[in-house]
Amino acid sequence: MLIRLEFNGRIIHEISSGAISGEILIGRSHSCTWPVPKEDTVSSSRHAALFVKGGAVWLKDLGSTNGTFHNGKKIEKKKLAVNDKIGLGNCVLCVEPERGREGKAFSELSVRSGKARGQKKQLKPPAFVIGSDPSADLVFLDTLVSRRHAEILVKEDGSCWVRDLGSKNGTAVNGMPLRDDKERLLKDGDRISFSHMEVDFLDGAVKRSNKQTWLRVGILVATLLAGTGMYRVYQGIRPSAESYIRSARKLAAQEKFTAAAETVDKAANARRASHNQVTIEELRRLLGIWESTLALWRRAKESLEQGRWTQVSRDLGMLQATKKDAWEWNEEAADENANALRAKAMLDALLRAEASIGREDIRFDMLAEDHDAVAKALAGLGAETPAYLTPLKAELEKIRERQSVLLAESHKMEEALNMLSQEMPPYREIVKVVEEACDSKEEALRRRARVVRAPLQALAQSFGLLAAAAQNVRELEMQKAMAEDISLPSVDACTIDPRLSQARKTLEKADKNLKVKAGQLNMLLGEVVKRIGLEGDSPEMLAVFQDQTVMDKVLACDTLDSPMPRRSRQEPSGAYDRVLGVEEFYEYLSALPEPVNPALVSDLPFVSMLTQARDLLQKIEALETFVSQPENRWMNAGKLARQMTRMATILASREALMKEYATRAETASGRAALIAGGIAMRLSPKAGAVKVKGQPLETWLEGELKGQRASLQQLNGEYSLAPAVRQIEIRNEVMSKGLPGDPLVRAMWARRDAAVSATGSAQ
């Protein structure tokens, strides 16, 4: 024999009688040999036991709470036989003949519906497909049958398992629908429904000779009974289990669950009860679930009508935890299930909205999310609202209106607070919006606004002081700006909102930056003012280069007309010396193309006007670069702006002078060209900025000076061998061609001065 334990048509354990050794305990305890599923709450911890005695297999009850049943009768112990079906809690113990693999006939389907009615179809491995598709193994040409409706899997041991293939109208075995694409083991005599089309399963392992004989006898007897009218009387006296099951389902559909349960009890003792044991137990279980579900739902609807939301929430939570089959006693139950889910969604949205709308720390995004949930719950009601949902709908509409107002006001305040992140936040506007929110009808928004108002007002005041300090900078009141205390609120006062904290950090940083910038500006502007003051667009050190009278003397090297100046002199010797500097100008030209060594000019007695002009221009450029930096553009207003306009005028005059003297260098010749080019070079802001005769000015000057010195050296070479008259000519020619700072010129200059000293007049 093959002994099998099933739960809801699913095989839990299976064993051959010949393989039993010792005792097999069955129950809910994990220590049992055959533990039952946790869903079986009827079985006891140690419910029953299988054992072998005298070559036979026995089953005995172990004092279970709810008993062990065979054919509806409670048993203590029973010797097992083929075709026995014994109920243990919600499980069924089935006894069947052993299946052999060789010489076994194929199982069959006996068709009871459609054009193939009366035919038998062999179930050959591995699978047998049923559907309306012409390629199916069994074809039902019916619109309620899916193309591939179901299939029967034939396993290696000969067992057959049926499963639904996602059909629209489902598959059932003995009236029980198949679920979740689960496979169900078929037993001999099972009736399978594909929508309304039916077949009977005939197990190939079952011998049918006696069955067929008795079937014929039964048909003969039924015919005789029908003929005499006694068959109907017989059916009325002892109805079948199937008829009781159908009656129980009809009563359940009418929500008469007590009567349905009584009818199921009758089915357990009716004819063919053993063939329907699983169906009976499943229906008994479902009736209890259905009755409990309906009672909970009725109480929930009553609470919904009375507005008792806490009770409703509890009941709907319990209903939501039930399985799908808890709402299947009739077609209307599915609609009620949808209403229960709809009510749960609506109530959840209401309770969440009520809980959050009063919170002081509610965020704008959370508020918007709750508002969307309420709107979605109301939209889910559809066109017609059941009467019991009307109070809940009214509450949701009220709170949605409150949420909309609060959302709009909160959005306005949040947008205002977000403006704190701007480079120049409009504090006056932000404070005004927050003060308006302090008068809101919604307590949550009022509390929120009042919490941020004080630190926000303090920040606005600090911003005003910072703006005043910035204005002082623009009006050149540097010391006043650097001494300003903007009185920031405390760090703790601003921690209530990250935007306030960030705004405080920004103001603190801006204050430190302003003081640093004010100090830097004060230093840079002070360097310029020290040289040219705060008035005038043409400083003396630049104006001199526009004075033609003075510059004629410079180009003529008027200093050479005087005795050669000592290096220790305190006053310049002539216009050339005052404007260019005898030693200074030559040092810069002779060092080309390299810059001059600062040590060579550091010990000169005074600074030439050309060097003063270059120094001034560099200070002005540094000031202009500083003020024009993007982070310092806020400074360029007021008095500082007027000073910067003045600086721009000075720099523009520099550009004009550079062009003028570069042009002179290009058109002049000899010493005059060198002097003009040297002036343009010293005024230039950077090397290579000016070109003369297609060359960078510095390169051109270097070449011109080398050419001039070569000529002077040649004359100097003649001097020592020349007669006195010629020496005087050479001396005068060298002094007329060379620059006053050139050593060759200075040597001739010294000879001339010596001659003058000796004779009393120049020769």
Side-chain angles (χ1 to χ4, degrees):
M1 295 185 298
L2 191 65
I3 303 168
R4 180 184 294 118
L5 185 67
E6 298 181 358
F7 177 77
N8 288 348
R10 177 164 54 93
I11 296 176
I12 307 302
H13 304 287
E14 186 177 72
I15 193 171
S16 173
S17 57
I20 298 176
S21 60
E23 192 175 56
I24 297 177
L25 295 179
I26 306 172
R28 295 175 60 194
S29 173
H30 292 298
S31 63
C32 290
T33 315
W34 283 7
V36 302
K38 62 181 181 180
E39 293 89 352
D40 184 354
T41 58
V42 179
S43 296
S44 297
S45 295
R46 291 166 56 89
H47 196 106
L50 283 170
F51 62 94
V52 178
K53 182 179 180 181
V57 180
W58 293 75
L59 176 74
K60 66 178 178 180
D61 187 88
L62 298 177
S64 63
T65 302
N66 296 307
T68 303
F69 295 86
H70 176 253
N71 291 335
K73 295 180 180 180
K74 191 172 183 179
I75 61 171
E76 299 296 331
K77 185 167 71 172
K78 184 183 184 306
K79 179 181 178 180
L80 299 184
V82 173
N83 295 328
D84 277 346
K85 294 184 185 295
I86 302 173
L88 299 85
N90 286 333
C91 293
V92 178
L93 189 75
C94 304
V95 184
E96 296 182 355
E98 287 277 9
R99 287 190 174 89
R101 296 196 178 190
E102 297 180 4
K104 180 177 74 66
F106 288 111
S107 297
E108 295 178 327
L109 294 182
S110 178
V111 184
R112 300 176 57 87
S113 306
K115 293 183 178 181
R117 181 177 180 181
Q119 296 182 14
K120 292 183 179 180
K121 300 284 187 178
Q122 285 189 341
L123 299 176
K124 295 182 179 180
F128 185 92
V129 178
I130 301 95
S132 59
D133 193 314
S135 65
D137 298 299
L138 175 56
V139 180
F140 286 115
L141 297 176
D142 191 282
T143 56
L144 297 180
V145 178
S146 299
R147 292 179 63 82
R148 289 175 58 83
H149 197 104
E151 71 176 355
I152 297 174
L153 304 173
V154 183
K155 304 295 179 71
E156 290 183 2
D157 63 354
S159 62
C160 295
W161 300 71
V162 65
R163 68 173 180 178
D164 188 83
L165 296 178
S167 64
K168 290 184 178 179
N169 296 303
T171 303
V173 179
N174 299 328
M176 293 301 299
L178 298 181
R179 302 181 184 282
D180 302 327
D181 197 28
K182 295 284 181 67
E183 298 176 5
R184 187 195 193 284
L185 177 67
L186 293 174
K187 295 175 284 298
D188 187 57
D190 280 345
R191 181 160 297 173
I192 313 170
S193 303
F194 311 103
S195 182
H196 63 291
M197 298 295 185
E198 295 183 333
V199 299
D200 288 334
F201 174 71
L202 305 177
D203 194 336
V206 177
K207 295 182 179 180
R208 306 190 173 277
S209 56
N210 291 335
K211 283 193 173 184
Q212 295 297 329
T213 301
W214 285 108
L215 180 61
R216 292 190 186 95
V217 172
I219 293 172
L220 179 60
V221 172
T223 304
L224 291 173
L225 288 173
T228 59
M230 294 179 64
Y231 183 66
R232 291 190 179 183
V233 175
Y234 174 74
Q235 288 282 33
I237 293 173
R238 185 171 172 75
S240 66
E242 289 91 339
S243 63
Y244 280 120
I245 290 170
R246 286 193 292 271
S247 298
R249 289 189 180 278
K250 289 179 181 178
L251 290 169
Q254 298 168 11
E255 299 180 351
K256 298 177 181 178
F257 298 120
T258 302
E262 292 173 355
T263 304
V264 169
D265 290 339
K266 292 178 182 179
N269 296 304
R271 183 167 47 84
R272 289 181 58 83
S274 61
H275 286 64
N276 293 278
Q277 186 69 34
V278 174
T279 303
I280 291 168
E281 295 298 333
E282 176 68 6
L283 185 55
R284 182 180 283 121
R285 181 186 71 83
L286 288 173
L287 286 172
I289 294 173
W290 292 342
E291 186 173 14
S292 174
T293 300
L294 183 59
L296 270 175
W297 177 228
R298 284 174 174 170
R299 187 172 70 184
K301 288 197 290 186
E302 183 180 347
S303 298
L304 281 166
E305 291 172 347
Q306 297 172 0
R308 293 187 284 118
W309 309 132
T310 304
Q311 182 63 46
V312 174
S313 179
R314 187 180 301 115
D315 290 342
L316 291 179
M318 295 172 64
L319 286 171
Q320 194 177 34
T322 59
K323 295 183 179 179
K324 182 181 177 182
D325 56 13
W327 295 87
E328 293 184 345
W329 61 85
N330 60 25
E331 292 181 0
E332 290 74 17
D335 295 334
E336 289 299 285
N337 183 25
N339 284 333
L341 294 173
R342 193 175 293 116
K344 183 70 168 63
M346 292 171 65
L347 186 60
D348 287 347
L350 175 65
L351 296 178
R352 178 179 172 182
E354 286 180 339
S356 64
I357 202 170
R359 284 175 53 187
E360 182 177 318
D361 60 342
I362 184 69
R363 300 198 311 270
F364 181 78
D365 56 342
M366 294 173 60
L367 186 62
E369 186 178 335
D370 291 346
H371 180 266
D372 291 343
V374 170
K376 183 178 180 181
L378 285 169
L381 277 172
E384 297 183 5
T385 304
Y388 54 84
L389 289 180
T390 301
L392 181 55
K393 178 184 178 183
E395 288 298 314
L396 277 173
E397 288 174 338
K398 287 180 184 177
I399 204 160
R400 180 176 63 175
E401 185 176 352
R402 283 185 63 193
Q403 285 177 321
S404 298
V405 173
L406 180 57
L407 201 58
E409 293 179 346
S410 296
H411 179 74
K412 185 177 180 181
M413 190 174 84
E414 290 298 312
E415 287 297 307
L417 291 174
N418 286 339
M419 287 193 289
L420 289 172
S421 62
Q422 296 179 10
E423 185 176 351
M424 296 290 289
Y427 273 97
R428 183 176 298 178
E429 180 183 341
I430 298 170
V431 170
K432 181 181 177 182
V433 172
V434 171
E435 287 179 343
E436 289 174 354
C438 289
D439 298 326
S440 171
K441 294 181 180 180
E442 289 294 339
E443 178 62 24
L445 184 61
R446 287 201 304 273
R447 287 199 305 268
R448 171 75 174 139
R450 288 169 183 171
V451 166
V452 302
R453 178 169 59 182
L456 178 63
Q457 288 174 335
L459 288 172
Q461 183 178 358
S462 298
F463 180 79
L465 292 172
L466 183 64
Q471 184 60 27
N472 286 332
V473 171
R474 291 189 282 268
E475 295 301 325
L476 305 184
E477 298 287 343
M478 307 299 181
Q479 298 304 322
K480 194 174 180 180
M482 289 188 284
E484 185 70 71
D485 180 7
I486 65 172
S487 303
L488 285 167
S490 68
V491 173
D492 291 341
C494 296
T495 55
I496 56 173
D497 190 290
R499 290 164 294 190
L500 294 177
S501 294
Q502 186 58 47
R504 187 190 183 281
K505 291 179 182 178
T506 301
L507 284 174
E508 184 177 34
K509 182 179 178 181
D511 182 44
K512 291 179 180 178
N513 182 65
L514 182 140
K515 289 177 169 55
V516 171
K517 296 294 184 181
Q520 292 172 337
L521 177 63
N522 191 45
M523 180 186 68
L524 293 171
L525 182 61
E527 290 292 327
V528 175
V529 172
K530 181 171 65 175
R531 289 163 172 78
I532 60 172
L534 291 170
E535 301 294 337
D537 295 336
S538 183
E540 181 186 2
M541 60 278 288
L542 281 175
V544 68
F545 294 101
Q546 297 170 332
D547 188 333
Q548 194 59 48
T549 302
V550 173
M551 292 311 297
D552 285 344
K553 294 179 181 180
V554 171
L555 292 170
C557 298
D558 67 331
T559 301
L560 291 171
D561 296 334
S562 303
M564 185 174 69
R566 296 178 180 274
R567 193 174 181 88
S568 60
R569 67 191 180 282
Q570 297 301 311
E571 295 295 330
S573 174
Y576 181 93
D577 197 19
R578 181 170 67 91
V579 175
L580 302 180
V582 171
E583 299 87 357
E584 182 184 308
F585 189 67
Y586 186 77
E587 291 291 348
Y588 281 106
L589 288 183
S590 63
L592 291 173
E594 301 298 326
V596 73
N597 185 348
L600 297 176
V601 295
S602 61
D603 62 342
L604 295 177
F606 60 88
V607 179
S608 70
M609 299 192 77
L610 179 58
T611 295
Q612 292 179 42
R614 181 179 177 83
D615 183 52
L616 170 65
L617 293 169
Q618 288 176 339
K619 300 298 183 185
I620 292 175
E621 285 174 340
L623 175 63
E624 186 180 61
T625 299
F626 176 78
V627 174
S628 63
Q629 288 174 355
E631 64 270 22
N632 296 333
R633 287 176 184 168
W634 58 271
M635 298 178 176
N636 203 359
K639 289 184 179 179
L640 180 59
R642 290 192 288 277
Q643 284 297 318
M644 296 314 297
T645 301
R646 178 187 174 213
M647 299 302 115
T649 301
I650 293 173
L651 292 177
S653 67
R654 185 263 303 274
E655 294 296 323
L657 287 172
M658 283 168 51
K659 291 180 181 178
E660 177 185 345
Y661 281 95
T663 301
R664 286 191 182 189
E666 195 161 17
T667 56
S669 61
R671 182 169 63 187
L674 277 172
I675 293 172
I679 293 171
M681 178 194 73
R682 294 288 285 149
L683 292 175
S684 175
K686 60 182 179 178
V690 180
K691 290 188 177 182
V692 173
K693 296 182 179 180
Q695 300 181 64
L697 178 57
E698 292 78 9
T699 304
W700 180 82
L701 282 171
E702 180 188 5
E704 287 294 310
L705 185 61
K706 284 182 179 179
Q708 185 199 63
R709 293 217 75 224
S711 174
L712 295 180
Q713 286 172 347
Q714 183 177 357
L715 290 171
N716 188 59
E718 289 183 37
Y719 184 83
S720 59
L721 300 176
V725 175
R726 178 57 182 157
Q727 285 182 338
I728 293 172
E729 291 175 353
I730 291 172
R731 182 188 68 195
N732 292 337
E733 187 176 354
V734 169
M735 292 182 68
S736 66
K737 289 183 178 180
L739 294 171
D742 191 324
L744 294 175
V745 175
R746 291 178 68 83
M748 296 300 176
W749 199 351
R751 290 188 177 100
R752 189 200 70 180
D753 288 349
V756 170
S757 176
T759 63
S761 62
Q763 295 184 7

